[in-house]
Structure formats: structure tokens, C-alpha cells
Amino acid sequence: MSFLSKLPKMPKWAKAYVTFFASLWGAMFLMRFVFLFVYRAGITAEVKSYLLESLYIGAKFDARLAAFMALPLGLYVFIKSIFPKTSVKVNKVIAVFYTVIITSVVLCYAGNFGHYSYLGLTVNASLFKYLENAFISIEMVWQSYPVVWATIALGFLAFGAYKFTMLFLNITTNAAKDGWKKKTAWFFALFVLTFAACYGQLNQYPLRWSNAYFTSNHFISNFTLNPVLNIYDTYKFAGEESYNKKEVEKYYNLMAEYLGVDKPDVKTLNFERVRPGKKMDRQYNVVVIFMESLAWNKTSYTNAELDPTPFVKEIGDASMLFTQFYTPTSATARAVFATLSGIPDVSSFKTSSRNPLIVNQNLIANQFDGYDKFFFIGGSASWGNIRGMISHNIDGLKLYEEEDFSKGRTDVWGVSDLDLFIESDKVLAENKKPFFAVIQTAGYHRPYSIPKNNAGFEPKTADAETLENYSFNSVEEYNSLRFSDHALRKFFEAAKKNDYYKNTVFVIFGDHGLSAPKSENMPRGYVEYNLINHQVPLILHAPDLIKPQVITRTASQVDIMPTVAGLIGMPYKTKALGRDVLEPRYKDKQGALIFGWANYPPQFLMLRVSIFTVTPPRKKVFINLKI
């Protein structure tokens, strides 16, 4: 440790902590190059193009783990600097503690090499499942690996870890020389640096596992992850129940008929459908617009008195409007997952976008060959870990977040919906190739901010009783939805001035509904069954392709991508639960899954809505609910 003495003015305890952290960090970072050497056969030209970014993000994961590991030692040597007569036995206890920790980390790294060689995946919490058949697992390890030599090496490793830790613990400091001001200053300085290492990035959100999935390349994603942190990140999801194969087999024929499976086979549980596409007079762009909380009960379609969404109604009347369209759940991250994957998010623990074990999905959007792909979000894609869902599964995705826009953030959700729309339009207008784009708004959310730059938006007032009766909780909420509608109008006004407008299918819908107990503007059954949390409008707008019409058949968010692909003649293959609801074969096979994740136990419903009118004219709704 002679080089430590060359560090100026730093107390010995601080030098010990910093050097211990740096040693751990350096060792972990070095292991990345060992990984590259061992699996060098997987280093393609594409992998090389991402290596620097992968090493940068991976180094931040390694720094986080090193900081977590070094922190107890740092606190101990700091206390020891105040009470230098600490017992030698305490030093030994700390050294034994770190011997166990360091040895365990090295075992995780060793296990990662075996796990990646066997499955092509970074080691995760699923390894604990091997303990369910411990004897078989032990026998497999015994027969496959040099266990005796590995055990001897492990013993040397443990001895080395003990001596390594003791090197940093056998430090004395002159308490009289280092006064309390100096100690306090160094303590807080190192605390800030440690926090920064743990947080991982200059962003509203800390470094998350989804940052490793910045590309669809599997080698890069696995290389970027830290194996120890990945075990932690996946452990909380490891208890999620897997599917029951016998139950799937029991209902397979019913589901195969409902989905229109091409080649039903209960033995292989085949759900694949291949749609060949059709010849069109042009290649249509697709713009998918998630409108935050655009609930059916809050739109001008059901709320003429308050008229909160005049433009949504205007464009809906000029488009294909689905009036019985439902979201599987009432959560935004779940909506993103369901819409893009075609699979309802029925995770009972957090959301599927937050689960690293199911980050790999086959998206129809990724089958738009020859298309540029964009995702625009006013805040950060680290929210809900949707970064992993979109960047890892859509090749060549160009992701725009709040730091990529010229306008500053309005509130916690990033730039305003208006700025998001206007800047998204500018990017799309400059694009020369066909494109698939997603725009995710978030402004209609507490704190219901209206930006100063609002393009002439004028707030309205209404009395509290009227607002409550017609599905709103406050005038701020009411005006926030009106501003969201206003921003959507400005987007279309801008889009119509550009060439891409006439060649684009715009898909506009709410990511979920919102609870409003009174909602006197809705049939009572919708309120009692809490369907207002799930019913949203779906608008497909393409003047050169779609004639204005109203679709009353029941449809779901999972149906969006296959339906849009069918509209523009795009060939696709899917094994998910979404269907092209405009196909004649599905006319009499309607349904929407409702998953009440916020209830305990969670509620599962299959919904089909039938509508008819009577005299005097008033819509009545009969709801088929099947559990």
C-alpha cells in the first residue's frame, strides 16, 4: 500500500476505503475482458459497434456493486479512526465477513461463465430453482466440472480474500492530527461519491437493469449486465408462477379456435399465425399515440356538457372509431407492454416491463422491414423499465427522451405534451423512409401542469359538483385533459402541413381509464364493475385509407398491432394473443381480457359487450362477464 501514502491530505481510513473500492471495481471491470476473450467467437461487427457503450454502462454497474461491497468497510474504518483502540477480534470478524462476501461474488462470476455457456444468458435468480432438485444438480456438477480442484482453488481464494481485507483493516490514524472538521468533510465527500456510484447516472431515474438492453443484440445485453446485480434484480420475480401446462392443454382447442391458429397442435401448444400481407398502392407509415388516461367516460363522446376532448371527438368522427375498446389493465407500463407485445400484462408483482426475466419478446413492430422506428417520450424510458422492452426488441430503434428535446421539462413527467408532439412532428417530417413511431404522452397526470408555452390554450372553469358528476375530481384535472386534447390538435395541424400525413395511419387511444365513482354520464354497470378503468377510445385515422365508421365489436389493446398491420398490408407472424379484429373470421369471436391487478386476489374477466338502442333513444349496455 505504499502508493497510498502519495495521495495528498487524505486520511488513512479514507485512503483505505477508496482503494478497497477501486480494487473491487477494477477486478470486476477486468472480468469483462475475460468474458470477451472466452466468448470471442460471438464478437461480430455489430457487437464491435456497441462495445464502447456497453463497457461504459457495464462499468457503472460494476461501480454500483463495488460501492455496495465497500460501504460497510468504509463505515468501519471511519469509526475506527475515531476509536483507534478497536479490538483485533472485531477486525477478524469484519475480515471473515468480507471473505464470505468476496468469495460469494467470485462464485457468481464463475457461475456466470457456466450459465452463459449453457444457456447463452447472464446468470439470474432462476439458478435457485436448481436447489429444488439439489441431489441431481450436485451430481451433474460433480460429473461435469473438476470439483476437487475447484474446491482447492476456492480455499486459496478465501484465504486471499481474508488477507486482502485485513490489509485495509490494519490501519491506524492519528486522531489528534485529523480533527473532527476534517473527518466530517471527508466523510460527507465520500458519502456523496458513494451515492453517485450507486445511483449510476445523471438522470431523474437511477441506473437500472434495462439500461443494459439498449440494443436488440443479445450478446451485448448479456455482456453489459453485472451477474451479481442481475441475480438481485431477477430474484424478486423468480417467485412468479410459471404457466400450468396441463391447464393450457385443457383449453388449447378453445384458444386455438379463438385466435385462428394456422396449424393447431395440442402436443406442441402451437399458437402461431402467419399473415402474408397484401399488395397496397403505397407503404404506409404508422404513428401510435398513447394518450395518457384518455378514458371513455372523460371524453366528449360521453361528456357533451363539459366537452373536455373536442378534438378527439372531431378526429374520431372522421376516422374508424372503436367504441367498445378496452385495456387489459389500468396502468401505463402495462399498457405499453400489452400494446407492443400483444400479450396482456398479468403480472401480479409489479409490471412485466420491470421483469428482466421476460425482456425478450417478439414484437410485430420489429417485423416492419425497411421501416425506421421511433419512440418519443416526454420523460425518461427508465420509467417502468420500458427501455428494455422497446430498445431490446425493436431493431434500430431511435429513442427520444426529455434530454433529446430542445424544450425544458414542465414537471416530473418531462416536457409538456405540446412540446413532445411538436418536436416529434419535426423529426418525422425530416425522415425520408417509411417509419413506425410511438408517441407516449404523460401530461394528463398529477400535478396537472399547464406550461407557459401552451399555443393559445385557455383554461375553463366548472363547479365542483358538475365536475364530480361527470367523472372529474377537480378543475385542474379537467383542464389538464383539455390541454392534452389541445396538444393533440396542434400535432395534427402541424402534421397536415407535411408530406408524411397523407401516407400515415395514426393510432390514437388511451393507455388506460380512470376511476370516477359517480360518473353519471356512464351506464351504472360500467361504474359498478369498474370498467371505466379500462374502457378507452381507439381511433384509426388515415384519410386516404380508412373511411369514417364506428366499430362496436369488443376489442382490446393487444389487438392494436395485428389490426394495424392488416390495414396497411404488412405481413407478420405472431404467437401472442392479439388479433386483427377487422378480419371477417373474428366477427363473431369478440372479447377483451380484464385483469384487476390492484385487487387481492387479482380478478380475471373476459368481457364481451352487446349494444342496442330503445325508445326513447338511450344507449343500454348488456355486459357478458365471464370469470
Side-chain angles (χ1 to χ4, degrees):
M1 294 180 60
S2 59
F3 73 94
L4 291 179
S5 60
K6 298 179 181 179
L7 295 177
K9 299 181 181 180
M10 184 182 289
K12 288 185 177 181
W13 66 268
K15 293 177 184 179
Y17 171 61
V18 170
T19 309
F20 186 74
F21 162 79
S23 300
L24 295 175
W25 188 13
M28 293 175 198
F29 192 65
L30 179 63
M31 289 304 296
R32 295 189 174 275
F33 292 94
V34 176
F35 185 95
L36 283 177
F37 177 77
V38 173
Y39 301 109
R40 57 191 179 278
I43 304 178
T44 63
E46 182 184 20
V47 167
K48 290 179 181 178
S49 68
Y50 292 120
L51 268 182
L52 285 179
E53 186 173 1
S54 177
L55 284 169
Y56 170 66
I57 298 173
K60 294 197 292 184
F61 281 121
D62 297 340
R64 170 179 287 175
L65 179 58
F68 283 147
M69 291 176 64
L71 188 57
L73 182 139
L75 291 173
Y76 175 69
V77 295
F78 173 68
I79 294 172
K80 189 179 176 184
S81 73
I82 302 174
F83 306 102
K85 295 182 180 181
T86 307
S87 170
V88 175
K89 292 182 179 180
V90 178
N91 281 5
K92 291 182 178 180
V93 170
I94 297 295
V96 170
F97 168 76
Y98 269 101
T99 299
V100 174
I101 295 298
I102 293 173
T103 303
S104 299
V105 168
V106 172
L107 282 174
C108 286
Y109 271 85
N112 183 52
F113 282 96
H115 196 272
Y116 188 83
S117 296
Y118 188 56
L119 298 174
L121 294 171
T122 300
V123 66
N124 57 56
S126 63
L127 65 86
F128 294 115
K129 292 186 177 180
Y130 297 133
L131 298 177
E132 296 175 3
N133 297 292
F135 289 108
I136 294 176
S137 299
I138 292 172
E139 188 175 0
M140 186 275 293
V141 170
W142 178 265
Q143 294 176 0
S144 304
Y145 302 100
V147 176
V148 174
W149 287 107
T151 303
I152 294 173
L154 192 63
F156 279 107
L157 170 67
F159 178 76
Y162 181 85
K163 288 295 186 181
F164 175 73
T165 306
M166 287 298 293
L167 186 67
F168 296 94
L169 294 176
N170 290 328
I171 295 174
T172 58
T173 185
N174 190 328
K177 183 178 179 181
D178 294 334
W180 68 268
K181 289 184 179 180
K182 183 175 181 180
K183 285 187 174 68
T184 303
W186 274 106
F187 177 85
F188 280 105
L190 292 178
F191 174 82
V192 171
L193 292 174
T194 302
F195 178 82
C198 293
Y199 199 79
Q201 58 186 10
L202 295 173
N203 197 291
Q204 178 182 357
Y205 298 93
L207 183 73
R208 291 177 171 173
W209 63 261
S210 58
N211 289 90
Y213 293 90
F214 64 91
T215 171
S216 59
N217 187 286
H218 291 279
F219 183 93
I220 283 293
S221 298
N222 284 281
F223 174 64
T224 308
L225 291 166
N226 179 289
V228 179
L229 294 179
N230 197 52
I231 291 174
Y232 170 79
D233 287 330
T234 54
Y235 180 76
K236 47 198 170 187
F237 295 96
E240 287 273 274
E241 291 186 9
S242 181
Y243 77 101
N244 187 317
K245 186 176 180 181
K246 290 184 178 180
E247 287 294 302
V248 176
E249 290 173 342
K250 180 179 178 181
Y251 295 103
Y252 174 79
N253 291 331
L254 177 65
M255 286 302 301
E257 181 185 0
Y258 175 79
L259 294 173
V261 174
D262 295 338
K263 298 177 181 179
D265 188 345
V266 69
K267 292 182 179 179
T268 61
L269 298 179
N270 176 38
F271 287 98
E272 185 174 274
R273 289 95 70 201
V274 178
R275 299 294 181 262
K278 56 188 176 183
K279 188 174 182 180
M280 305 290 286
D281 63 345
R282 72 190 81 168
Q283 279 186 298
Y284 283 92
N285 309 308
V286 175
V287 177
V288 177
I289 303 175
F290 285 82
M291 294 296 291
E292 175 63 46
S293 305
L294 183 63
W296 182 254
N297 64 309
K298 294 178 184 282
T299 67
S300 295
Y301 280 106
T302 61
N303 215 329
E305 182 170 340
L306 291 175
D307 194 24
T309 60
F311 182 71
V312 166
K313 187 175 187 307
E314 177 185 321
I315 195 170
D317 290 343
S319 311
M320 181 183 291
L321 172 67
F322 287 75
T323 60
Q324 295 301 324
F325 182 76
Y326 296 85
T327 70
T329 64
S330 55
T332 302
R334 294 178 186 269
V336 174
F337 184 89
T339 301
L340 295 180
S341 73
I343 302 173
D345 182 350
V346 293
S347 171
S348 58
F349 179 75
K350 294 193 174 181
T351 65
S352 292
S353 65
R354 290 177 167 91
N355 185 352
L357 294 175
I358 59 172
V359 67
N360 296 319
Q361 297 292 332
N362 294 315
L363 308 188
I364 289 177
N366 201 37
Q367 300 175 46
F368 280 45
D369 293 334
Y371 278 58
D372 284 340
K373 286 104 177 181
F374 301 90
F375 196 104
F376 301 93
I377 180 171
S380 170
S382 291
W383 161 86
N385 271 328
I386 64 169
R387 185 186 309 277
M389 167 70 183
I390 58 178
S391 293
H392 187 59
N393 294 301
I394 303 179
D395 294 333
L397 180 72
K398 299 172 185 176
L399 176 60
Y400 287 81
E401 304 173 76
E402 63 177 288
E403 60 266 23
D404 299 312
F405 300 120
S406 61
K407 301 295 184 181
R409 68 199 320 244
T410 298
D411 55 26
V412 66
W413 302 109
V415 303
S416 73
D417 288 351
L418 177 63
D419 291 332
L420 172 65
F421 275 130
I422 296 304
E423 298 214 27
S424 299
D425 168 71
K426 290 178 181 177
V427 173
L428 299 179
E430 294 174 356
N431 203 65
K432 303 303 181 183
K433 294 172 61 178
F435 58 79
F436 171 86
V438 176
I439 303 175
Q440 182 182 334
T441 70
Y444 179 36
H445 236 302
R446 288 183 174 86
Y448 302 130
S449 304
I450 307 295
K452 294 180 180 178
N453 175 29
N454 55 41
F457 175 75
E458 296 182 1
K460 287 185 177 180
T461 58
D463 65 89
E465 183 178 1
T466 300
L467 289 168
E468 186 178 3
N469 289 341
Y470 288 90
S471 303
F472 291 96
N473 295 313
S474 67
V475 70
E476 289 80 14
E477 181 200 353
Y478 168 58
N479 278 310
S480 181
L481 178 58
R482 290 185 60 251
F483 178 73
S484 183
D485 180 79
H486 173 76
L488 184 66
R489 180 188 295 276
K490 293 302 177 183
F491 171 69
F492 273 90
E493 288 177 357
K496 288 177 180 179
K497 297 176 183 177
N498 295 308
D499 293 338
Y500 77 84
Y501 172 76
K502 62 180 180 296
N503 298 320
T504 301
V505 175
F506 296 90
V507 185
I508 308 162
F509 61 100
D511 58 352
H512 57 79
L514 286 175
S515 178
K518 280 203 171 181
S519 293
E520 293 180 359
N521 54 315
M522 292 294 292
R524 210 56 217 157
Y526 275 74
V527 181
E528 295 298 331
Y529 283 105
N530 204 30
L531 294 181
I532 56 176
N533 268 25
H534 300 269
Q535 189 183 17
V536 300
L538 169 63
I539 298 168
L540 303 181
H541 180 74
D544 288 1
L545 179 65
I546 302 172
K547 294 180 179 179
Q549 56 191 292
V550 175
I551 306 294
T552 59
R553 66 185 65 173
T554 309
S556 169
Q557 260 177 352
V558 300
D559 301 321
I560 287 178
M561 287 308 303
T563 301
V564 171
L567 268 173
I568 66 173
M570 178 66 64
Y572 66 92
K573 178 172 67 175
T574 182
K575 297 180 182 179
L577 298 183
R579 310 171 306 160
D580 179 355
V581 293
L582 298 178
E583 282 192 47
R585 74 175 77 187
Y586 297 126
K587 184 177 181 180
D588 297 321
K589 298 175 184 176
Q590 304 176 41
L593 175 71
I594 302 294
F595 173 55
W597 62 273
N599 301 308
Y600 187 82
Q603 296 177 341
F604 292 87
L605 304 172
M606 191 65 181
L607 172 70
R608 178 174 178 175
V609 181
S610 302
I611 303 175
F612 66 91
T613 57
V614 296
T615 303
R618 181 183 177 186
K619 183 172 75 172
K620 288 195 174 182
V621 180
F622 288 83
I623 307 170
N624 270 332
L625 291 176
K626 294 185 178 180
I627 300 177

